[in-house]
Amino acid sequence: MISSVLPTYSRAPLSFVSGKGSWLTEADGRRFLDLGAGIAVNALGHANPVLTKALTDQAGQLWHTSNLYQIPQQQALADRLVDASFADTVFFTNSGTESCELAVKMARKYFHDKGQPDRVDIITFDGSFHGRSSAGIAAAGSEKMTKGFGPLLPGFVHLPFGNHDALTAAITDTTCAILVEPVQGEGGIRPVPDQCLKGLRDLCDSHGILLILDEVQCGVGRTGKLFAHEWAGITPDIMMVAKGIGGGFPLGCVMATEEAASGMTAGTHGSTYGGNPLGCAVGCAVIDTVGDPAFLAEVNRKAGLLRQKLEGLVDAHPNVFEAVRGAGLMLGLKCKVALGEVVNAGYAQEVITVPAADNVVRLLPALNITDDEIAQAVTRLDRAAAALEGAGDG
Ligand SMILES: *Cc1c(COP(=O)(O)O)cnc(C)c1O
């Protein structure tokens, strides 16, 4: 008999009842060190007092009105994001998937309104992940996500990751945009090198097409800059954001230049919940915290510390781990043994990691994880790896 919860996830037998900072308490009382942060969502940890206050203050006042009216909290968050980035304008959503929908619509509408309605094709890359809607799965294109869900939304061209010649050859007079994650998340923590992001920007400029960045996972301080593309010194035309921006409250957005957003006039798009007072009150508190240069400097320092310790872990367990990769506090451990075994061995040591493709274990801790917690995390991962070695044949 089907479970009352639609069984689309194979869930770990863990049920958390409370959280504080980087710690989660299981129903049986065990305390887990959380290096997953709800897949890069709990950017400021669990039950962060600043976010809890922002949420409860707003909850006592007004939860939801409608985008039919002015929403001061939404205006405040949009102003902060515009001030802190390349963007001139922001649309608020409830998820990364919903941000993907708008990014695709915006890019196509831009060329439609410029009198180039045939420019509809969006170039994407193998291993990418852009959400689970019809547009999101068509954009990613993997058989795992798309099989059985046809007909797929047309207009996506899938290219191998990191093949420059294939990319140049794929741009035609029906191309409207390139869509890429600066650091692939689900695909196994694969960063696009800075010079390649620069190359993508140049390619888009020389062909007059739009660059759409999916920073749903790598944005909002995760890599040590407010947005990951800042490391490459480039800016996109359109950017998708979600996950960390709500700190656990469902919130996302699409940020864009005035030019790229020019087709999105009144009546062309909407969202019932998107940008409601509750979500935006929390989003303002997240951006005020993460956008502080001193906070980001700490993220970078801790990222260096974690990475150094993980390099040591890989050296100590060459039969379990192959390499560390990633950027900032978005790190991956490429494994030599089955990924699920590593994640499960972590659970046994009360440390939470997140599986990704390419046999990579993701570490996406809260951005305010402490030095002591980083040390404890690596100690637990070390014990998990030792347990796996002990269980093996050699
Ligand atoms: C998680 C994710 C999405 C989808 O976001 P949802 O909030 O799950 O809809 C899209 N793109 C990237 C890069 C993601 O990591």
Side-chain angles (χ1 to χ4, degrees), residues 106-107 110 210 237-238 256-264:
M106 187 182 281
Y110 174 76
L210 300 174
D237 301 292
I238 300 172
T257 63
E258 182 169 12
E259 174 72 10
S262 58
M264 303 307 295

PDB file of all heavy atoms in Angstrom, residues 106-107 110 210 237-238 256-264:
ATOM      1  N   MET A 106      11.488  34.993 -18.850  1.00  0.00           N
ATOM      2  CA  MET A 106      12.053  36.337 -19.016  1.00  0.00           C
ATOM      3  C   MET A 106      12.984  36.402 -20.226  1.00  0.00           C
ATOM      4  O   MET A 106      12.928  37.354 -21.012  1.00  0.00           O
ATOM      5  CB  MET A 106      12.808  36.736 -17.738  1.00  0.00           C
ATOM      6  CG  MET A 106      13.306  38.164 -17.726  1.00  0.00           C
ATOM      7  SD  MET A 106      14.250  38.533 -16.213  1.00  0.00           S
ATOM      8  CE  MET A 106      12.948  38.804 -15.019  1.00  0.00           C
ATOM      9  N   ALA A 107      13.844  35.374 -20.352  1.00  0.00           N
ATOM     10  CA  ALA A 107      14.803  35.379 -21.467  1.00  0.00           C
ATOM     11  C   ALA A 107      14.068  35.304 -22.809  1.00  0.00           C
ATOM     12  O   ALA A 107      14.406  36.022 -23.761  1.00  0.00           O
ATOM     13  CB  ALA A 107      15.771  34.204 -21.313  1.00  0.00           C
ATOM     14  N   TYR A 110      12.209  38.543 -23.597  1.00  0.00           N
ATOM     15  CA  TYR A 110      13.135  39.622 -23.978  1.00  0.00           C
ATOM     16  C   TYR A 110      13.323  39.636 -25.492  1.00  0.00           C
ATOM     17  O   TYR A 110      13.162  40.675 -26.150  1.00  0.00           O
ATOM     18  CB  TYR A 110      14.481  39.420 -23.273  1.00  0.00           C
ATOM     19  CG  TYR A 110      15.557  40.382 -23.707  1.00  0.00           C
ATOM     20  CD1 TYR A 110      15.563  41.699 -23.260  1.00  0.00           C
ATOM     21  CD2 TYR A 110      16.558  39.974 -24.598  1.00  0.00           C
ATOM     22  CE1 TYR A 110      16.548  42.590 -23.677  1.00  0.00           C
ATOM     23  CE2 TYR A 110      17.541  40.862 -25.011  1.00  0.00           C
ATOM     24  CZ  TYR A 110      17.531  42.164 -24.547  1.00  0.00           C
ATOM     25  OH  TYR A 110      18.493  43.044 -24.972  1.00  0.00           O
ATOM     26  N   LEU A 210      21.725  36.162 -23.666  1.00  0.00           N
ATOM     27  CA  LEU A 210      21.686  36.443 -22.227  1.00  0.00           C
ATOM     28  C   LEU A 210      22.415  35.361 -21.438  1.00  0.00           C
ATOM     29  O   LEU A 210      22.359  34.184 -21.785  1.00  0.00           O
ATOM     30  CB  LEU A 210      20.232  36.526 -21.755  1.00  0.00           C
ATOM     31  CG  LEU A 210      19.382  37.616 -22.421  1.00  0.00           C
ATOM     32  CD1 LEU A 210      17.918  37.497 -21.982  1.00  0.00           C
ATOM     33  CD2 LEU A 210      19.913  39.005 -22.095  1.00  0.00           C
ATOM     34  N   ASP A 237      22.939  38.459 -16.685  1.00  0.00           N
ATOM     35  CA  ASP A 237      21.790  39.294 -17.047  1.00  0.00           C
ATOM     36  C   ASP A 237      20.592  38.940 -16.175  1.00  0.00           C
ATOM     37  O   ASP A 237      19.780  39.795 -15.841  1.00  0.00           O
ATOM     38  CB  ASP A 237      21.439  39.083 -18.524  1.00  0.00           C
ATOM     39  CG  ASP A 237      22.613  39.425 -19.417  1.00  0.00           C
ATOM     40  OD1 ASP A 237      22.969  40.613 -19.489  1.00  0.00           O
ATOM     41  OD2 ASP A 237      23.218  38.497 -20.000  1.00  0.00           O
ATOM     42  N   ILE A 238      20.509  37.650 -15.857  1.00  0.00           N
ATOM     43  CA  ILE A 238      19.395  37.125 -15.049  1.00  0.00           C
ATOM     44  C   ILE A 238      20.008  36.135 -14.060  1.00  0.00           C
ATOM     45  O   ILE A 238      20.915  35.380 -14.430  1.00  0.00           O
ATOM     46  CB  ILE A 238      18.364  36.393 -15.942  1.00  0.00           C
ATOM     47  CG1 ILE A 238      17.781  37.349 -17.003  1.00  0.00           C
ATOM     48  CG2 ILE A 238      17.240  35.775 -15.103  1.00  0.00           C
ATOM     49  CD1 ILE A 238      16.889  36.662 -18.045  1.00  0.00           C
ATOM     50  N   ALA A 256      17.526  40.591 -12.002  1.00  0.00           N
ATOM     51  CA  ALA A 256      17.824  40.843 -13.410  1.00  0.00           C
ATOM     52  C   ALA A 256      18.231  42.281 -13.637  1.00  0.00           C
ATOM     53  O   ALA A 256      17.929  43.172 -12.826  1.00  0.00           O
ATOM     54  CB  ALA A 256      16.596  40.520 -14.272  1.00  0.00           C
ATOM     55  N   THR A 257      18.913  42.486 -14.764  1.00  0.00           N
ATOM     56  CA  THR A 257      19.173  43.857 -15.193  1.00  0.00           C
ATOM     57  C   THR A 257      17.882  44.439 -15.760  1.00  0.00           C
ATOM     58  O   THR A 257      16.969  43.712 -16.172  1.00  0.00           O
ATOM     59  CB  THR A 257      20.253  43.902 -16.284  1.00  0.00           C
ATOM     60  OG1 THR A 257      19.754  43.189 -17.428  1.00  0.00           O
ATOM     61  CG2 THR A 257      21.560  43.266 -15.817  1.00  0.00           C
ATOM     62  N   GLU A 258      17.843  45.753 -15.802  1.00  0.00           N
ATOM     63  CA  GLU A 258      16.666  46.429 -16.365  1.00  0.00           C
ATOM     64  C   GLU A 258      16.443  45.984 -17.806  1.00  0.00           C
ATOM     65  O   GLU A 258      15.310  45.712 -18.220  1.00  0.00           O
ATOM     66  CB  GLU A 258      16.891  47.948 -16.300  1.00  0.00           C
ATOM     67  CG  GLU A 258      15.713  48.737 -16.815  1.00  0.00           C
ATOM     68  CD  GLU A 258      15.826  50.225 -16.509  1.00  0.00           C
ATOM     69  OE1 GLU A 258      16.908  50.683 -16.100  1.00  0.00           O
ATOM     70  OE2 GLU A 258      14.807  50.923 -16.686  1.00  0.00           O
ATOM     71  N   GLU A 259      17.535  45.859 -18.552  1.00  0.00           N
ATOM     72  CA  GLU A 259      17.439  45.465 -19.960  1.00  0.00           C
ATOM     73  C   GLU A 259      16.839  44.062 -20.089  1.00  0.00           C
ATOM     74  O   GLU A 259      15.868  43.853 -20.821  1.00  0.00           O
ATOM     75  CB  GLU A 259      18.842  45.519 -20.586  1.00  0.00           C
ATOM     76  CG  GLU A 259      18.948  45.017 -22.000  1.00  0.00           C
ATOM     77  CD  GLU A 259      18.320  45.942 -23.038  1.00  0.00           C
ATOM     78  OE1 GLU A 259      17.954  47.086 -22.691  1.00  0.00           O
ATOM     79  OE2 GLU A 259      18.160  45.508 -24.196  1.00  0.00           O
ATOM     80  N   ALA A 260      17.400  43.084 -19.365  1.00  0.00           N
ATOM     81  CA  ALA A 260      16.922  41.701 -19.496  1.00  0.00           C
ATOM     82  C   ALA A 260      15.481  41.557 -19.041  1.00  0.00           C
ATOM     83  O   ALA A 260      14.742  40.702 -19.542  1.00  0.00           O
ATOM     84  CB  ALA A 260      17.823  40.759 -18.687  1.00  0.00           C
ATOM     85  N   ALA A 261      15.070  42.398 -18.090  1.00  0.00           N
ATOM     86  CA  ALA A 261      13.711  42.295 -17.530  1.00  0.00           C
ATOM     87  C   ALA A 261      12.699  43.106 -18.327  1.00  0.00           C
ATOM     88  O   ALA A 261      11.516  43.151 -17.957  1.00  0.00           O
ATOM     89  CB  ALA A 261      13.728  42.770 -16.081  1.00  0.00           C
ATOM     90  N   SER A 262      13.157  43.713 -19.420  1.00  0.00           N
ATOM     91  CA  SER A 262      12.308  44.726 -20.069  1.00  0.00           C
ATOM     92  C   SER A 262      10.998  44.173 -20.620  1.00  0.00           C
ATOM     93  O   SER A 262      10.032  44.918 -20.786  1.00  0.00           O
ATOM     94  CB  SER A 262      13.094  45.454 -21.160  1.00  0.00           C
ATOM     95  OG  SER A 262      13.572  44.518 -22.114  1.00  0.00           O
ATOM     96  N   GLY A 263      10.941  42.864 -20.892  1.00  0.00           N
ATOM     97  CA  GLY A 263       9.690  42.304 -21.407  1.00  0.00           C
ATOM     98  C   GLY A 263       8.658  42.009 -20.328  1.00  0.00           C
ATOM     99  O   GLY A 263       7.488  41.734 -20.632  1.00  0.00           O
ATOM    100  N   MET A 264       9.084  42.033 -19.076  1.00  0.00           N
ATOM    101  CA  MET A 264       8.204  41.562 -18.000  1.00  0.00           C
ATOM    102  C   MET A 264       7.370  42.721 -17.438  1.00  0.00           C
ATOM    103  O   MET A 264       7.589  43.207 -16.334  1.00  0.00           O
ATOM    104  CB  MET A 264       9.022  40.883 -16.902  1.00  0.00           C
ATOM    105  CG  MET A 264       9.874  39.718 -17.387  1.00  0.00           C
ATOM    106  SD  MET A 264       8.977  38.445 -18.310  1.00  0.00           S
ATOM    107  CE  MET A 264       7.877  37.800 -17.051  1.00  0.00           C
TER     108      MET A 264
END
